[in-house]
């Protein structure tokens, strides 16, 4: 497995198991809000480090997590 997740499953494992962060409704909503804000300092740093394509993937994974939590 790559150090950088390439699938939702790898990303979810990285967040919940390796980082120990539960994907709660509040956490997921906060991250979506920040990642959608191009003016957010942390979002700018994230894009500078990982690129636009990975930013878009991660935002989509958070949206997917939000959908799963809503079920």
């Amino acid at each position: 497995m790559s150090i950088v997740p390439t699938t939702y499953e790898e990303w979810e494992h990285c967040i919940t198991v390796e980082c120990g962060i539960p994907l709660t409704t509040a956490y997921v909503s906060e991250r979506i809000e920040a990642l959608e804000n191009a003016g957010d300092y942390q979002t700018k740093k994230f894009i500078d480090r990982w690129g636009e394509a990975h930013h878009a993937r991660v935002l989509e994974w958070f949206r997917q997590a939000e959908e799963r939590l809503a079920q």
Side-chain angles (χ1 to χ4, degrees):
M1 182 163 77
S2 169
I3 188 170
V4 178
T6 59
T7 67
Y8 177 85
E9 290 75 19
E10 290 174 357
W11 171 81
E12 183 181 43
H13 176 84
C14 182
I15 295 289
T16 61
V17 176
E18 296 186 28
C19 295
I21 301 171
L23 289 174
T24 64
T25 301
Y27 176 73
V28 169
S29 294
E30 289 171 11
R31 295 308 308 139
I32 290 171
E33 184 177 338
L35 289 166
E36 287 178 334
N37 181 356
D40 182 86
Y41 176 74
Q42 292 298 328
T43 299
K44 287 180 181 181
K45 283 180 56 175
F46 184 94
I47 293 169
D48 286 346
R49 179 171 183 140
W50 302 104
E52 292 281 347
H54 188 64
H55 168 261
R57 273 191 302 273
V58 170
L59 181 55
E60 182 56 37
W61 291 334
F62 271 109
R63 288 180 179 141
Q64 192 173 344
E66 182 177 53
E67 288 177 17
R68 290 179 180 208
L69 287 167
Q71 294 177 356

